Amino acid sequence: MPASDPLDRSDAAHLLRRAAFGATDKELDKYEASTRAQVVASLLGSKPRKGRGPGKKGDSSKDRKKLQGWWLRRMLKVKEAANEKLVLFLHDHIPSSLNAVGDVGLLARQNETFRKHGQGSFRDLLIEVTRDPAMLEFLD
């Protein structure tokens, strides 16, 4: 199907499952009859909202749960979901762990690095990750 053909409800649902984390009926209503190019531009066209998320120095389970909840809420917003899916992908492929880092705040900062540089040059992203305090602590 060409990118310029209008989507039916099933195609819109499929695209939003792949590019984001799915969609509500209201969101499907919004994207139904739009073209694939329009939906993708809508999902990726806006600059990701800044937001490091909650997290203080240390590894308390309370701070960890706050950060996890904050991130999950971002993933559920369709306008941010495509970028958050990319952040999740990068988090999986450029890993660090709370056990090794020991600081929820540093992991929140690392996710912000993925959020800020994820849609740009992969080279620039990797340069930023090599300077990231969580990655430096993880690799120590």
Side-chain angles (χ1 to χ4, degrees):
M1 170 187 279
S4 59
D5 286 355
L7 298 172
D8 63 21
R9 191 170 189 82
S10 174
D11 290 332
H14 177 76
L15 177 58
L16 291 168
R17 278 192 310 272
R18 301 294 296 194
F21 295 97
T24 64
D25 285 334
K26 185 178 176 182
E27 292 160 343
L28 288 175
D29 291 342
K30 176 183 173 183
Y31 290 115
E32 187 176 8
S34 297
T35 67
R36 188 176 315 277
Q38 289 169 327
V39 175
V40 170
S42 172
L43 294 175
L44 296 177
S46 61
K47 196 171 186 179
R49 259 186 345 135
K50 288 186 177 181
R52 184 178 298 174
K56 298 178 182 169
K57 189 166 178 64
D59 67 348
S60 77
S61 67
K62 182 180 176 184
D63 285 337
R64 182 179 333 131
K65 286 180 182 178
K66 276 185 182 179
L67 179 61
Q68 289 169 340
W70 175 85
W71 194 15
L72 286 171
R73 284 188 296 281
R74 281 182 71 107
M75 288 181 199
L76 292 175
K77 294 179 182 171
V78 167
K79 279 288 194 186
E80 297 180 27
N83 195 55
E84 294 306 316
K85 196 165 191 175
L86 179 58
V87 172
L88 182 62
F89 173 83
L90 292 169
H91 177 74
D92 187 43
H93 285 76
I94 306 172
S96 54
S97 73
L98 184 57
N99 291 340
V101 175
D103 190 329
V104 175
L106 291 181
L107 292 176
R109 182 177 170 179
Q110 184 179 66
N111 272 9
E112 181 58 23
T113 299
F114 295 153
R115 194 170 287 111
K116 184 177 178 183
H117 299 284
Q119 289 187 31
S121 158
F122 190 67
R123 181 179 188 272
D124 292 345
L125 170 68
L126 291 181
I127 289 169
E128 290 301 318
V129 168
T130 63
R131 298 176 182 157
D132 180 71
M135 185 56 68
L136 294 173
E137 187 64 35
F138 179 72
L139 295 173
D140 192 22

PDB file of all heavy atoms in Angstrom, residues 43-68:
ATOM      1  N   LEU A  43       3.250  11.310  14.217  1.00  0.00           N
ATOM      2  CA  LEU A  43       3.890  10.614  15.336  1.00  0.00           C
ATOM      3  C   LEU A  43       5.346  11.015  15.529  1.00  0.00           C
ATOM      4  O   LEU A  43       5.824  11.119  16.653  1.00  0.00           O
ATOM      5  CB  LEU A  43       3.819   9.098  15.117  1.00  0.00           C
ATOM      6  CG  LEU A  43       2.430   8.483  15.145  1.00  0.00           C
ATOM      7  CD1 LEU A  43       2.510   7.007  14.783  1.00  0.00           C
ATOM      8  CD2 LEU A  43       1.779   8.673  16.492  1.00  0.00           C
ATOM      9  N   LEU A  44       6.058  11.232  14.430  1.00  0.00           N
ATOM     10  CA  LEU A  44       7.488  11.532  14.529  1.00  0.00           C
ATOM     11  C   LEU A  44       7.837  12.987  14.252  1.00  0.00           C
ATOM     12  O   LEU A  44       8.956  13.407  14.517  1.00  0.00           O
ATOM     13  CB  LEU A  44       8.280  10.654  13.551  1.00  0.00           C
ATOM     14  CG  LEU A  44       8.238   9.158  13.810  1.00  0.00           C
ATOM     15  CD1 LEU A  44       8.993   8.414  12.733  1.00  0.00           C
ATOM     16  CD2 LEU A  44       8.787   8.825  15.185  1.00  0.00           C
ATOM     17  N   GLY A  45       6.883  13.729  13.709  1.00  0.00           N
ATOM     18  CA  GLY A  45       7.176  15.089  13.285  1.00  0.00           C
ATOM     19  C   GLY A  45       7.409  16.073  14.401  1.00  0.00           C
ATOM     20  O   GLY A  45       8.165  17.023  14.260  1.00  0.00           O
ATOM     21  N   SER A  46       6.800  15.843  15.544  1.00  0.00           N
ATOM     22  CA  SER A  46       6.992  16.803  16.628  1.00  0.00           C
ATOM     23  C   SER A  46       8.255  16.458  17.404  1.00  0.00           C
ATOM     24  O   SER A  46       8.616  15.294  17.553  1.00  0.00           O
ATOM     25  CB  SER A  46       5.785  16.807  17.558  1.00  0.00           C
ATOM     26  OG  SER A  46       5.608  15.538  18.129  1.00  0.00           O
ATOM     27  N   LYS A  47       8.901  17.486  17.876  1.00  0.00           N
ATOM     28  CA  LYS A  47      10.111  17.299  18.661  1.00  0.00           C
ATOM     29  C   LYS A  47       9.728  16.641  19.984  1.00  0.00           C
ATOM     30  O   LYS A  47       8.734  17.024  20.598  1.00  0.00           O
ATOM     31  CB  LYS A  47      10.762  18.664  18.908  1.00  0.00           C
ATOM     32  CG  LYS A  47      12.179  18.596  19.358  1.00  0.00           C
ATOM     33  CD  LYS A  47      12.785  19.978  19.368  1.00  0.00           C
ATOM     34  CE  LYS A  47      14.255  19.866  19.693  1.00  0.00           C
ATOM     35  NZ  LYS A  47      14.889  21.165  19.695  1.00  0.00           N
ATOM     36  N   PRO A  48      10.488  15.634  20.428  1.00  0.00           N
ATOM     37  CA  PRO A  48      10.135  14.977  21.682  1.00  0.00           C
ATOM     38  C   PRO A  48      10.124  15.979  22.840  1.00  0.00           C
ATOM     39  O   PRO A  48      10.998  16.836  22.926  1.00  0.00           O
ATOM     40  CB  PRO A  48      11.243  13.949  21.888  1.00  0.00           C
ATOM     41  CG  PRO A  48      11.948  13.841  20.600  1.00  0.00           C
ATOM     42  CD  PRO A  48      11.678  15.079  19.820  1.00  0.00           C
ATOM     43  N   ARG A  49       9.105  15.846  23.682  1.00  0.00           N
ATOM     44  CA  ARG A  49       9.042  16.693  24.865  1.00  0.00           C
ATOM     45  C   ARG A  49      10.194  16.350  25.786  1.00  0.00           C
ATOM     46  O   ARG A  49      10.510  15.186  25.987  1.00  0.00           O
ATOM     47  CB  ARG A  49       7.738  16.432  25.622  1.00  0.00           C
ATOM     48  CG  ARG A  49       6.693  17.426  25.391  1.00  0.00           C
ATOM     49  CD  ARG A  49       5.458  17.240  26.245  1.00  0.00           C
ATOM     50  NE  ARG A  49       5.339  15.943  26.893  1.00  0.00           N
ATOM     51  CZ  ARG A  49       4.984  15.783  28.163  1.00  0.00           C
ATOM     52  NH1 ARG A  49       4.734  16.805  28.930  1.00  0.00           N
ATOM     53  NH2 ARG A  49       4.855  14.573  28.669  1.00  0.00           N
ATOM     54  N   LYS A  50      10.814  17.385  26.324  1.00  0.00           N
ATOM     55  CA  LYS A  50      11.878  17.139  27.281  1.00  0.00           C
ATOM     56  C   LYS A  50      11.267  16.587  28.553  1.00  0.00           C
ATOM     57  O   LYS A  50      10.123  16.855  28.869  1.00  0.00           O
ATOM     58  CB  LYS A  50      12.641  18.426  27.587  1.00  0.00           C
ATOM     59  CG  LYS A  50      13.513  18.881  26.456  1.00  0.00           C
ATOM     60  CD  LYS A  50      14.346  20.054  26.873  1.00  0.00           C
ATOM     61  CE  LYS A  50      15.261  20.444  25.726  1.00  0.00           C
ATOM     62  NZ  LYS A  50      16.114  21.554  26.077  1.00  0.00           N
ATOM     63  N   GLY A  51      12.044  15.883  29.263  1.00  0.00           N
ATOM     64  CA  GLY A  51      11.578  15.360  30.533  1.00  0.00           C
ATOM     65  C   GLY A  51      12.470  14.243  30.997  1.00  0.00           C
ATOM     66  O   GLY A  51      12.470  13.181  30.408  1.00  0.00           O
ATOM     67  N   ARG A  52      13.238  14.524  32.003  1.00  0.00           N
ATOM     68  CA  ARG A  52      14.136  13.504  32.526  1.00  0.00           C
ATOM     69  C   ARG A  52      13.374  12.523  33.392  1.00  0.00           C
ATOM     70  O   ARG A  52      13.772  11.397  33.564  1.00  0.00           O
ATOM     71  CB  ARG A  52      15.244  14.177  33.324  1.00  0.00           C
ATOM     72  CG  ARG A  52      16.273  13.191  33.822  1.00  0.00           C
ATOM     73  CD  ARG A  52      17.390  13.843  34.558  1.00  0.00           C
ATOM     74  NE  ARG A  52      18.094  14.744  33.683  1.00  0.00           N
ATOM     75  CZ  ARG A  52      19.046  15.548  34.081  1.00  0.00           C
ATOM     76  NH1 ARG A  52      19.390  15.592  35.336  1.00  0.00           N
ATOM     77  NH2 ARG A  52      19.646  16.338  33.237  1.00  0.00           N
ATOM     78  N   GLY A  53      12.303  12.958  33.963  1.00  0.00           N
ATOM     79  CA  GLY A  53      11.549  12.079  34.832  1.00  0.00           C
ATOM     80  C   GLY A  53      12.047  12.155  36.256  1.00  0.00           C
ATOM     81  O   GLY A  53      13.114  12.694  36.528  1.00  0.00           O
ATOM     82  N   PRO A  54      11.260  11.624  37.157  1.00  0.00           N
ATOM     83  CA  PRO A  54      11.663  11.659  38.557  1.00  0.00           C
ATOM     84  C   PRO A  54      12.821  10.721  38.806  1.00  0.00           C
ATOM     85  O   PRO A  54      12.998   9.730  38.115  1.00  0.00           O
ATOM     86  CB  PRO A  54      10.408  11.196  39.292  1.00  0.00           C
ATOM     87  CG  PRO A  54       9.668  10.379  38.300  1.00  0.00           C
ATOM     88  CD  PRO A  54       9.992  10.961  36.954  1.00  0.00           C
ATOM     89  N   GLY A  55      13.585  11.030  39.748  1.00  0.00           N
ATOM     90  CA  GLY A  55      14.709  10.174  40.115  1.00  0.00           C
ATOM     91  C   GLY A  55      15.750  10.984  40.854  1.00  0.00           C
ATOM     92  O   GLY A  55      16.205  12.002  40.366  1.00  0.00           O
ATOM     93  N   LYS A  56      16.044  10.533  42.042  1.00  0.00           N
ATOM     94  CA  LYS A  56      17.050  11.204  42.862  1.00  0.00           C
ATOM     95  C   LYS A  56      18.263  10.301  42.954  1.00  0.00           C
ATOM     96  O   LYS A  56      18.216   9.126  42.610  1.00  0.00           O
ATOM     97  CB  LYS A  56      16.490  11.474  44.255  1.00  0.00           C
ATOM     98  CG  LYS A  56      15.285  12.385  44.247  1.00  0.00           C
ATOM     99  CD  LYS A  56      14.761  12.574  45.638  1.00  0.00           C
ATOM    100  CE  LYS A  56      13.518  13.452  45.595  1.00  0.00           C
ATOM    101  NZ  LYS A  56      12.824  13.462  46.851  1.00  0.00           N
ATOM    102  N   LYS A  57      19.331  10.867  43.444  1.00  0.00           N
ATOM    103  CA  LYS A  57      20.544  10.071  43.624  1.00  0.00           C
ATOM    104  C   LYS A  57      20.232   8.918  44.567  1.00  0.00           C
ATOM    105  O   LYS A  57      19.650   9.100  45.609  1.00  0.00           O
ATOM    106  CB  LYS A  57      21.658  10.945  44.189  1.00  0.00           C
ATOM    107  CG  LYS A  57      22.991  10.253  44.204  1.00  0.00           C
ATOM    108  CD  LYS A  57      24.089  11.264  44.447  1.00  0.00           C
ATOM    109  CE  LYS A  57      25.440  10.621  44.509  1.00  0.00           C
ATOM    110  NZ  LYS A  57      25.877   9.992  43.313  1.00  0.00           N
ATOM    111  N   GLY A  58      20.609   7.745  44.164  1.00  0.00           N
ATOM    112  CA  GLY A  58      20.357   6.551  44.964  1.00  0.00           C
ATOM    113  C   GLY A  58      19.511   5.557  44.197  1.00  0.00           C
ATOM    114  O   GLY A  58      19.135   5.777  43.059  1.00  0.00           O
ATOM    115  N   ASP A  59      19.212   4.462  44.860  1.00  0.00           N
ATOM    116  CA  ASP A  59      18.478   3.400  44.167  1.00  0.00           C
ATOM    117  C   ASP A  59      17.273   2.919  44.964  1.00  0.00           C
ATOM    118  O   ASP A  59      16.953   1.743  44.960  1.00  0.00           O
ATOM    119  CB  ASP A  59      19.403   2.237  43.830  1.00  0.00           C
ATOM    120  CG  ASP A  59      19.918   1.506  45.057  1.00  0.00           C
ATOM    121  OD1 ASP A  59      19.753   2.026  46.181  1.00  0.00           O
ATOM    122  OD2 ASP A  59      20.465   0.410  44.901  1.00  0.00           O
ATOM    123  N   SER A  60      16.585   3.835  45.625  1.00  0.00           N
ATOM    124  CA  SER A  60      15.431   3.411  46.423  1.00  0.00           C
ATOM    125  C   SER A  60      14.342   2.849  45.512  1.00  0.00           C
ATOM    126  O   SER A  60      14.161   3.304  44.386  1.00  0.00           O
ATOM    127  CB  SER A  60      14.886   4.578  47.245  1.00  0.00           C
ATOM    128  OG  SER A  60      14.129   5.450  46.435  1.00  0.00           O
ATOM    129  N   SER A  61      13.618   1.861  46.017  1.00  0.00           N
ATOM    130  CA  SER A  61      12.562   1.256  45.211  1.00  0.00           C
ATOM    131  C   SER A  61      11.445   2.259  44.958  1.00  0.00           C
ATOM    132  O   SER A  61      10.791   2.208  43.921  1.00  0.00           O
ATOM    133  CB  SER A  61      12.026  -0.002  45.881  1.00  0.00           C
ATOM    134  OG  SER A  61      11.355   0.321  47.080  1.00  0.00           O
ATOM    135  N   LYS A  62      11.249   3.208  45.865  1.00  0.00           N
ATOM    136  CA  LYS A  62      10.226   4.243  45.666  1.00  0.00           C
ATOM    137  C   LYS A  62      10.577   5.103  44.452  1.00  0.00           C
ATOM    138  O   LYS A  62       9.726   5.366  43.601  1.00  0.00           O
ATOM    139  CB  LYS A  62      10.120   5.106  46.920  1.00  0.00           C
ATOM    140  CG  LYS A  62       9.063   6.169  46.844  1.00  0.00           C
ATOM    141  CD  LYS A  62       9.021   6.982  48.127  1.00  0.00           C
ATOM    142  CE  LYS A  62       8.027   8.113  47.993  1.00  0.00           C
ATOM    143  NZ  LYS A  62       8.014   8.974  49.164  1.00  0.00           N
ATOM    144  N   ASP A  63      11.826   5.531  44.350  1.00  0.00           N
ATOM    145  CA  ASP A  63      12.257   6.337  43.202  1.00  0.00           C
ATOM    146  C   ASP A  63      12.212   5.533  41.911  1.00  0.00           C
ATOM    147  O   ASP A  63      11.837   6.042  40.856  1.00  0.00           O
ATOM    148  CB  ASP A  63      13.668   6.895  43.415  1.00  0.00           C
ATOM    149  CG  ASP A  63      13.697   8.047  44.398  1.00  0.00           C
ATOM    150  OD1 ASP A  63      12.643   8.695  44.584  1.00  0.00           O
ATOM    151  OD2 ASP A  63      14.760   8.293  44.969  1.00  0.00           O
ATOM    152  N   ARG A  64      12.578   4.276  41.982  1.00  0.00           N
ATOM    153  CA  ARG A  64      12.544   3.408  40.799  1.00  0.00           C
ATOM    154  C   ARG A  64      11.107   3.275  40.291  1.00  0.00           C
ATOM    155  O   ARG A  64      10.844   3.409  39.098  1.00  0.00           O
ATOM    156  CB  ARG A  64      13.111   2.032  41.132  1.00  0.00           C
ATOM    157  CG  ARG A  64      13.167   1.098  39.955  1.00  0.00           C
ATOM    158  CD  ARG A  64      13.758  -0.267  40.281  1.00  0.00           C
ATOM    159  NE  ARG A  64      14.676  -0.243  41.385  1.00  0.00           N
ATOM    160  CZ  ARG A  64      14.631  -1.097  42.415  1.00  0.00           C
ATOM    161  NH1 ARG A  64      13.721  -2.035  42.465  1.00  0.00           N
ATOM    162  NH2 ARG A  64      15.500  -1.029  43.390  1.00  0.00           N
ATOM    163  N   LYS A  65      10.168   3.064  41.201  1.00  0.00           N
ATOM    164  CA  LYS A  65       8.760   2.918  40.802  1.00  0.00           C
ATOM    165  C   LYS A  65       8.208   4.232  40.249  1.00  0.00           C
ATOM    166  O   LYS A  65       7.419   4.219  39.306  1.00  0.00           O
ATOM    167  CB  LYS A  65       7.935   2.427  41.983  1.00  0.00           C
ATOM    168  CG  LYS A  65       8.193   0.967  42.280  1.00  0.00           C
ATOM    169  CD  LYS A  65       7.394   0.462  43.451  1.00  0.00           C
ATOM    170  CE  LYS A  65       7.777  -0.998  43.693  1.00  0.00           C
ATOM    171  NZ  LYS A  65       7.090  -1.562  44.822  1.00  0.00           N
ATOM    172  N   LYS A  66       8.629   5.358  40.812  1.00  0.00           N
ATOM    173  CA  LYS A  66       8.190   6.656  40.283  1.00  0.00           C
ATOM    174  C   LYS A  66       8.665   6.830  38.844  1.00  0.00           C
ATOM    175  O   LYS A  66       7.911   7.252  37.979  1.00  0.00           O
ATOM    176  CB  LYS A  66       8.753   7.805  41.132  1.00  0.00           C
ATOM    177  CG  LYS A  66       7.974   8.126  42.345  1.00  0.00           C
ATOM    178  CD  LYS A  66       8.598   9.354  42.997  1.00  0.00           C
ATOM    179  CE  LYS A  66       7.915   9.743  44.265  1.00  0.00           C
ATOM    180  NZ  LYS A  66       8.546  10.904  44.896  1.00  0.00           N
ATOM    181  N   LEU A  67       9.935   6.514  38.595  1.00  0.00           N
ATOM    182  CA  LEU A  67      10.488   6.648  37.254  1.00  0.00           C
ATOM    183  C   LEU A  67       9.793   5.699  36.281  1.00  0.00           C
ATOM    184  O   LEU A  67       9.426   6.094  35.179  1.00  0.00           O
ATOM    185  CB  LEU A  67      11.996   6.403  37.255  1.00  0.00           C
ATOM    186  CG  LEU A  67      12.694   6.493  35.901  1.00  0.00           C
ATOM    187  CD1 LEU A  67      12.548   7.886  35.297  1.00  0.00           C
ATOM    188  CD2 LEU A  67      14.172   6.125  36.035  1.00  0.00           C
ATOM    189  N   GLN A  68       9.582   4.468  36.684  1.00  0.00           N
ATOM    190  CA  GLN A  68       8.913   3.496  35.818  1.00  0.00           C
ATOM    191  C   GLN A  68       7.498   3.948  35.479  1.00  0.00           C
ATOM    192  O   GLN A  68       7.078   3.885  34.321  1.00  0.00           O
ATOM    193  CB  GLN A  68       8.877   2.118  36.481  1.00  0.00           C
ATOM    194  CG  GLN A  68      10.221   1.445  36.546  1.00  0.00           C
ATOM    195  CD  GLN A  68      10.213   0.207  37.432  1.00  0.00           C
ATOM    196  OE1 GLN A  68       9.335   0.023  38.278  1.00  0.00           O
ATOM    197  NE2 GLN A  68      11.215  -0.645  37.245  1.00  0.00           N
TER     198      GLN A  68
END
